[in-house]
Amino acid sequence: MINNELLFDKLKEARKLSYSPYSHFSVGAVVLTKNGEFILGANIENAAYSLCLCAERNAIFQAYLKGYKKQDIELIGVFANSDDFVSPCGSCRQVMAELLSLDTKVYLYNSKGEFKALTVEQLIPFSFSGDFLK
Ligand code: THU
């Protein structure tokens, strides 16, 4: 069972790391590994807007840089200070499909700390994958 309160605390901590002077929309993401490590990510923006990197991708890339692979990852959480549950962009969904298992849960939080959990496959059905390249 996941500890939602602890995950939400980590998400708030992650969101504080956001560098978002252009959108002023700060997002935190946390990958929880099966061995219990919380890996933080936040969105990092750039004056050249197309170089902005979302919180989800930063957290997933950090996890891989620490040596974790999809089978080691329990879940990912995402949080923005929004009334609605934050919704990952298409690029992040495609990265999730590549680097997480399709049945890995993605916990989407709103500002009240309520969440909705969807699998990667629910977020990006019929995704493009390396299988097509064989
Ligand atoms: N952003 C994220 O980091 N994750 C999301 O799920 C949605 C959008 C970022 C990208 C950009 O820095 C800012 O939020 C506004 O789009």
Side-chain angles (χ1 to χ4, degrees), residues 23-38:
S23 72
H24 304 289
F25 187 75
S26 48
V27 185
V30 171
V31 166
L32 173 61
T33 63
K34 289 184 181 166
N35 65 4
E37 189 174 353
F38 289 93

Side-chain angles (χ1 to χ4, degrees), residues 18-29 42-46 49 52-58 78-80 86-90 92-93 96 108:
S18 167
Y19 174 76
S20 41
Y22 305 105
S23 72
H24 304 289
F25 187 75
S26 48
V27 185
N43 56 329
I44 304 292
E45 299 189 343
N46 195 289
Y49 293 166
C52 294
L53 195 59
C54 293
E56 297 90 319
R57 272 175 285 161
N58 267 330
V78 194
F79 167 55
V86 62
S87 179
C89 78
C92 286
R93 292 175 195 219
M96 287 174 187
L108 306 171

Side-chain angles (χ1 to χ4, degrees), residues 7-21:
L7 179 58
F8 192 51
D9 280 347
K10 294 284 180 188
L11 283 165
K12 285 188 278 191
E13 189 183 327
R15 188 172 156 258
K16 285 190 195 146
L17 301 171
S18 167
Y19 174 76
S20 41

